[in-house]
Amino acid sequence: MLTQSSPLLREVHSSYRYFLYRQKMSDSQEIVIAITPDFIKELLPSAQRTALLYHLSYLCLAKFPKLERVLRQRAVETQLLFGSSEALLLKCAATSKNLVSTLLPALKIAVEEDESILAIKSLEKARAWITEIVDKVGQMVDRYEKHNHSVASCSSDVILEKSLTEEKKAQTTTEIEAQEKAVKDLEDELKNNHQKIIQIETTIKQKNQDLYNHVKATSKKSNDGGFLSALVPFIEAVVKLFTKSDDDSEAAATVQVLSSELTQLSIEKSSLMSKEWSIHVRMTDMQLKLATMKIENGSIPDPVHLNDVQKCLSRIQNILIQLQKFWESVSVMLEALKDETFAKEDFILKRNMKATFLESINSAKGHWKAFGESCLHAKSIFSLQTKDAYKFLENSPSALTPEQWKKEYETVIEQLNKIDPDPFHYKVPGAPAAITQ
């Protein structure tokens, strides 16, 4: 039975916090003493934050499949670690219960009846039980430490991926700029080439007009204007006619010059037309490549979300350190309880010290009872985190639509904001009942 003035409360005040409140029953009132050990008061908010920060990080790794896979592994490891923590706390609670309900009472009877051999056997059995859970708690501390390193390694992977992504985006941007310049150069070349074609066509038109005027003037001089005028639309025929004619060698020479110039202009125009087609083909190819590069650049994930992931992982790492300290506290407490349980055991064979040893047993029972109830409380907290807290891992964040992603992200942030750091505000399902007076 615990009272406010009992030695037990004074002895464990540094390790446990107590508060009193009245609970009205159907036909009576009773004083309830609720125990909240310091070493578990941060456990629930820490465990809740861990799952939500993993969820937030997971969302921000959409389009980073490699990191998404690594983070999923770390989150599953954390979930399994919490499951192991739950099992170990249950074992701690069961050991405490066995000590309080069976072994320590048997030890007390053995001492009261001066059965020293039975008392020593009981002590050794208790020592073996406690040593076992002390060792297992030590192993749990090591597991948390190793897992903390794994999360730190994941954070390093995120930093590296962020660096590589930024480098890739910068490189791709440079390549896009170079490709855009190449396309622009081809567009300028095509424009210049087209202007040359227009100039040649203008010159050809002018030469044709000169040839027409020359043929017309020559026809009038030779009094054969009707015949030659009819041939004007057929420039090649006119040229041949003047080439074969010896009547006006000067006129024929002029026709040949104009004809040669027209031929040369036609050749140049043909060359420019071929060049124009070649430029069109190259430009089409470059434009397609540029479009592809821009699409690929858009598919390269923006590393801005990796900043959030890195921050979340750092917070998770700090929480895991706190949980590691929780188990270290359990280890320290176990050692202290172990010392308390076996205090004055040398007095077993000294009859005049029997009362002192019996008092030591009663004190140890109180400690172990409170410790067992605290372990059940902590076990309930870990149990909550091994059920649905990590259900988000079942779906890939890359499969979410932008609207779904935004809604889920905002929901996680809202849940994070709702976490109350005050441990007294929590009602944990399955928590042990308060110790009543």
Side-chain angles (χ1 to χ4, degrees):
M1 184 78 63
L2 293 177
T3 64
Q4 284 183 281
S5 59
S6 68
L8 176 59
L9 282 179
R10 293 196 302 272
E11 290 173 7
V12 301
H13 180 70
S14 60
S15 299
Y16 296 88
R17 295 173 63 189
Y18 295 80
F19 66 92
L20 299 177
Y21 65 94
R22 292 188 177 275
Q23 181 179 19
K24 188 173 183 180
M25 307 302 289
S26 59
D27 54 358
S28 65
Q29 289 184 342
E30 60 180 356
I31 297 295
V32 180
I33 301 178
I35 303 178
T36 306
D38 280 344
F39 76 99
I40 65 167
K41 67 180 181 180
E42 289 292 333
L43 195 55
L44 181 58
S46 293
Q48 287 179 320
R49 285 191 183 103
T50 300
L52 290 172
L53 288 173
Y54 268 126
H55 193 169
L56 198 62
S57 302
Y58 196 58
L59 285 173
C60 291
L61 288 179
K63 297 185 180 180
F64 289 92
K66 179 181 176 182
L67 290 179
E68 181 185 321
R69 184 173 62 254
V70 173
L71 186 75
R72 187 187 295 111
Q73 292 173 349
R74 297 292 89 81
V76 170
E77 288 172 5
T78 300
Q79 190 179 18
L80 293 174
L81 193 55
F82 282 6
S84 298
S85 298
E86 179 188 355
L88 181 53
L89 284 165
L90 187 60
K91 182 174 179 61
C92 289
T95 300
S96 300
K97 182 179 179 181
N98 288 335
L99 283 169
V100 171
S101 62
T102 304
L103 204 145
L104 290 178
L107 176 60
K108 183 178 180 181
I109 293 172
V111 173
E112 288 174 340
E113 296 181 358
D114 295 326
E115 295 287 344
S116 60
I117 295 177
L118 181 60
I120 291 172
K121 286 183 178 180
S122 297
L123 279 172
E124 290 305 320
K125 192 171 185 179
R127 192 191 305 274
W129 284 1
I130 297 171
T131 298
E132 181 184 3
I133 61 172
V134 167
D135 291 342
K136 288 186 179 299
V137 167
Q139 293 170 10
M140 185 60 68
V141 171
D142 292 339
R143 285 185 63 184
Y144 270 93
E145 183 177 2
K146 290 178 181 177
H147 185 55
N148 184 30
H149 290 318
S150 296
V151 174
S153 176
C154 184
S155 183
S156 297
D157 291 340
V158 169
I159 294 172
L160 177 60
E161 186 70 19
K162 178 176 174 243
S163 175
L164 292 175
T165 303
E166 288 176 338
E167 181 180 334
K168 186 176 181 181
K169 283 183 74 71
Q171 179 181 351
T172 305
T173 300
T174 301
E175 292 174 352
I176 288 176
E177 290 175 351
Q179 191 75 2
E180 286 177 336
K181 185 179 183 303
V183 171
K184 180 65 168 56
D185 290 343
L186 282 178
E187 288 175 346
D188 292 341
E189 186 179 354
L190 182 63
K191 183 178 179 180
N192 293 333
N193 191 81
H194 188 65
Q195 288 176 345
K196 289 179 180 179
I197 291 174
I198 292 175
Q199 290 173 357
I200 287 179
E201 287 178 340
T202 300
T203 305
I204 289 175
K205 184 178 179 180
Q206 184 62 48
K207 292 295 181 183
N208 278 326
Q209 186 63 43
D210 292 344
L211 183 57
Y212 171 79
N213 293 337
H214 178 70
V215 169
K216 189 174 182 181
T218 303
S219 298
K220 287 181 179 179
K221 290 179 183 179
S222 61
N223 297 319
D224 195 14
F227 172 72
L228 289 176
S229 296
L231 293 178
V232 169
F234 307 99
I235 300 300
E236 291 183 1
V238 174
V239 171
K240 289 180 180 179
L241 178 65
F242 274 91
T243 300
K244 295 178 181 179
S245 174
D246 294 330
D247 295 336
D248 194 343
S249 59
E250 184 179 348
T254 300
V255 169
Q256 282 187 328
V257 169
L258 291 172
S259 177
S260 297
E261 290 176 353
L262 281 169
T263 301
Q264 184 61 37
L265 288 170
S266 296
I267 293 172
E268 290 180 19
K269 180 183 176 181
S270 177
S271 176
L272 289 172
M273 293 292 288
S274 297
K275 185 177 181 181
E276 183 178 56
W277 175 249
S278 175
I279 294 173
H280 271 299
V281 172
R282 283 188 292 153
M283 191 166 68
T284 301
D285 180 51
M286 284 192 175
Q287 286 173 333
L288 288 174
K289 287 181 179 178
L290 178 60
T292 302
M293 291 171 69
K294 287 183 176 180
I295 292 172
E296 290 177 350
N297 184 54
S299 68
I300 297 174
D302 193 332
V304 66
H305 287 315
L306 294 183
N307 292 327
D308 297 331
V309 177
Q310 184 183 341
K311 291 174 184 176
C312 290
L313 288 175
S314 296
R315 294 189 184 105
I316 291 172
Q317 191 177 350
N318 289 332
I319 291 171
L320 288 173
I321 291 174
Q322 291 175 8
L323 294 177
Q324 181 181 336
K325 289 180 179 178
F326 158 76
W327 281 110
E328 289 172 349
S329 298
V330 173
S331 180
V332 171
M333 191 174 293
L334 279 172
E335 289 292 345
L337 290 176
K338 181 178 178 182
D339 292 341
E340 175 69 24
T341 302
F342 301 122
K344 305 179 182 67
E345 62 180 281
D346 293 337
F347 296 147
I348 291 178
L349 300 178
K350 297 178 182 179
R351 294 185 180 183
N352 60 334
M353 301 301 293
K354 182 186 298 185
T356 303
F357 188 73
L358 290 174
E359 180 185 347
S360 174
I361 293 176
N362 289 333
S363 177
K365 282 178 63 178
H367 282 294
W368 279 108
K369 184 178 181 181
F371 176 74
E373 290 172 345
S374 299
C375 288
L376 284 178
H377 186 187
K379 178 259 179 192
S380 300
I381 293 171
F382 279 114
S383 178
L384 289 175
Q385 298 303 309
T386 56
K387 293 181 180 178
D388 297 330
Y390 292 83
K391 199 170 183 178
F392 63 88
L393 295 173
E394 296 176 3
N395 301 311
S396 171
S398 301
L400 299 174
T401 65
E403 293 76 17
Q404 291 172 328
W405 190 97
K406 185 174 183 293
K407 183 178 179 180
E408 193 166 333
Y409 183 92
E410 290 174 348
T411 300
V412 176
I413 293 294
E414 183 180 352
Q415 290 174 331
L416 277 169
N417 289 329
K418 285 182 179 178
I419 294 179
D420 192 336
D422 187 350
F424 294 113
H425 289 174
Y426 288 105
K427 176 65 178 177
V428 180
I435 302 174
T436 60
Q437 185 175 358

